[in-house]
């Protein structure tokens, strides 16, 4: 099987982190965002992953070559000369995706969840139509475009943008599986799959919804990155508790190379990256510390993302809120 991951955006919502590297290579849970997806795809039997890219392609290709060798899969960079939207990249990669009659995955790169790829394959084959969309439940559907579908069969009837009366509480989760014939619907130009392709597929009876169990989050902006981090850590506790630190408070993921001083209170919900140094007396909760960060003694951090090779000064009390990306300048 094959998969295409939409990684072409400029990552403006995660700046300044994305000023120095492409968003797919920003770490989430001590692993590049896109690598979570690539590993899950490889575990589901995908042998060829296409990354649809329009920004910093060289940097991404260099990293993905290493991962392709490790996972024993093929990873191809599909370079867009202009941003092609969410459907256009399928047309650009037509020669790869339509090379055989097998269905293929399409993913938005900002999504974190327990990727249900095996279940998606089985569901898609069971209905035999052109497309499957993964949908997830939200508490306030009026903020989203919702998917209206038959809960018994999964067949999608229509899409409703920001409904003011209740019609559904399921939204598009940004994960799809398609039969190659979908590419015949997509022109070779910037195209929205949500607005220009899906409504026609639904009208033809060719689009079905697979309901996602468990957590889901689009982590493409700082406040949602931190919410997704908490969800991810809770999922690790349920599925792989041995990966979390047993000596700290709550769900905390610590790279083995990190150094933590005495009389610290770390947690709950903290990710500590490689070569991070935390001095004595530090308090940290609901934060990600990226590689090489140094938190000096008696600093107190909450709801922060601390950048690579950055320093938080002694006795610092940044007034962080989840709507704000807290960024500390790298050490000179």
């Amino acid at each position: 099987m094959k998969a295409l991951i939409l990684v072409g955006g400029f990552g403006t919502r995660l700046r300044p982190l994305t000023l120095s590297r492409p968003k797919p290579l920003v770490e989430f849970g001590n692993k590049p965002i896109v690598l979570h997806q690539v590993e899950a795809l490889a575990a589901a039997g995908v042998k060829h992953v296409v990354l649809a890219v329009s920004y910093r392609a060289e940097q991404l290709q260099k990293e993905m070559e290493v991962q392709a060798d490790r996972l024993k899969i093929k990873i191809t960079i599909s370079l867009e000369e202009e941003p092609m939207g969410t459907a256009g990249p399928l047309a650009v990669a037509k020669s790869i995706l339509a090379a055989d009659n097998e269905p293929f995955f399409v993913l938005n790169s900002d999504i974190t969840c327990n990727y249900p790829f095996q279940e998606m394959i089985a569901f898609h084959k069971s209905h035999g139509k052109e497309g499957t969309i993964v949908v997830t439940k939200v508490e306030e559907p009026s903020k989203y475009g919702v998917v209206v579908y038959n809960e018994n069969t999964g067949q999608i009837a229509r899409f409703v943008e920001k409904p003011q009366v209740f019609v559904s509480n399921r939204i598009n989760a940004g994960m799809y599986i398609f039969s190659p014939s979908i590419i015949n619907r997509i022109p070779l130009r910037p195209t929205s799959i949500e607005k220009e392709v899906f409504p026609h597929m639904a009208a033809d009876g060719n689009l079905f919804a697979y309901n996602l169990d468990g957590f889901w989050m689009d982590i493409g902006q700082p406040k949602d990155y931190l919410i997704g981090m908490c969800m991810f850590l809770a999922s690790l506790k349920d599925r792989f508790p041995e990966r979390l630190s047993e000596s700290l408070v709550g769900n905390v993921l610590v790279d083995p190379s990190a150094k933590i001083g005495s009389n610290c209170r770390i947690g709950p919900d903290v990710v500590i990256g490689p070569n991070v140094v935390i001095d004595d007396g530090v308090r940290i909760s609901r934060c990600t510390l990226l590689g090489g960060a140094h938190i000096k003694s008696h600093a107190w951090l909450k709801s922060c993302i601390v950048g690579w090779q950055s320093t938080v000064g002694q006795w610092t009390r940044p007034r962080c809120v989840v709507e704000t990306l807290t960024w500390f300048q790298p050490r000179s």
Side-chain angles (χ1 to χ4, degrees):
M1 286 192 71
K2 303 179 183 70
L4 182 141
I5 304 178
L6 301 168
V7 298
F10 293 100
T12 54
R13 296 182 299 166
L14 267 184
R15 286 179 178 172
L17 297 177
T18 51
L19 293 176
S20 60
R21 66 182 67 189
K23 182 173 60 176
L25 295 184
V26 173
E27 289 90 351
F28 176 82
N30 282 346
K31 187 183 298 183
I33 291 172
V34 72
L35 188 54
H36 289 274
Q37 297 183 338
V38 170
E39 289 181 345
L41 288 166
V46 171
K47 300 299 184 184
H48 190 174
V49 176
V50 180
L51 302 180
V53 181
S54 60
Y55 174 66
R56 293 184 180 271
E58 299 84 0
Q59 193 174 354
L60 188 61
Q61 183 169 8
K62 183 177 180 180
E63 173 63 24
M64 288 299 102
E65 286 175 353
V66 174
Q67 301 302 333
D69 290 342
R70 179 177 67 87
L71 296 169
K72 295 180 172 55
I73 63 173
K74 184 176 183 180
I75 299 179
T76 299
I77 302 295
S78 178
L79 184 61
E80 303 170 12
E81 295 184 1
E82 63 174 328
M84 294 293 285
T86 52
L90 280 71
V92 174
K94 179 178 180 178
S95 62
I96 298 172
L97 300 177
D100 51 40
N101 200 36
E102 283 193 336
F104 57 86
F105 292 102
V106 175
L107 312 175
N108 292 343
S109 65
D110 294 346
I111 301 305
T112 183
C113 64
N114 293 328
Y115 304 105
F117 295 138
Q118 292 285 10
E119 294 85 351
M120 288 172 65
I121 294 169
F123 178 76
H124 185 75
K125 289 181 177 179
S126 72
H127 65 68
K129 299 295 184 178
E130 201 167 59
T132 297
I133 297 178
V134 176
V135 297
T136 187
K137 182 179 178 180
V138 293
E139 297 300 323
E140 296 186 45
S142 62
K143 294 182 178 180
Y144 303 90
V146 299
V147 183
V148 181
Y149 66 99
N150 184 312
E151 294 187 5
N152 294 321
T153 66
Q155 186 168 355
I156 294 175
R158 67 187 192 279
F159 301 87
V160 180
E161 186 65 26
K162 297 183 179 179
Q164 298 306 302
V165 297
F166 183 87
V167 292
S168 172
N169 60 359
R170 297 300 196 276
I171 65 169
N172 178 352
M175 295 181 287
Y176 321 120
I177 185 168
F178 299 128
S179 299
S181 58
I182 189 178
I183 298 177
N184 298 327
R185 298 178 179 267
I186 302 171
L188 187 58
R189 60 171 173 78
T191 309
S192 167
I193 200 166
E194 298 86 356
K195 296 179 180 179
E196 299 178 67
V197 180
F198 285 166
H200 297 291
M201 293 176 68
D204 294 344
N206 267 304
L207 196 57
F208 282 68
Y210 174 83
N211 190 48
L212 177 67
D213 292 325
F215 83 99
W216 174 91
M217 181 55 63
D218 179 334
I219 57 174
Q221 55 186 337
K223 67 174 183 177
D224 294 333
Y225 178 105
L226 290 173
I227 294 170
M229 176 199 71
C230 297
M231 293 177 171
F232 172 76
L233 292 174
S235 177
L236 277 187
K237 182 179 180 180
D238 290 338
R239 302 170 67 220
F240 306 106
E242 68 279 1
R243 297 183 186 178
L244 300 177
S245 174
E246 296 181 355
S247 59
L248 302 176
V249 179
N251 299 328
V252 180
L253 181 64
V254 183
D255 187 271
S257 63
K259 298 178 180 179
I260 301 175
S262 60
N263 298 316
C264 292
R265 182 179 175 87
I266 311 296
D269 299 320
V270 174
V271 175
I272 300 174
N275 301 309
V276 167
V277 176
I278 300 173
D279 291 346
D280 298 345
V282 169
R283 302 291 186 266
I284 303 174
S285 64
R286 201 173 180 271
C287 292
T288 284
L289 313 182
L290 297 173
H294 184 185
I295 315 301
K296 293 192 174 181
S297 62
H298 305 290
W300 195 319
L301 303 179
K302 182 176 181 180
S303 297
C304 301
I305 304 171
V306 180
W308 303 277
Q309 308 298 324
S310 298
T311 297
V312 178
Q314 188 178 26
W315 295 102
T316 297
R317 301 287 194 276
R319 299 183 64 182
C320 304
V321 292
V322 296
E323 290 81 13
T324 302
L325 172 64
T326 298
W327 173 257
F328 298 94
Q329 290 298 321
R331 298 185 293 276
S332 58

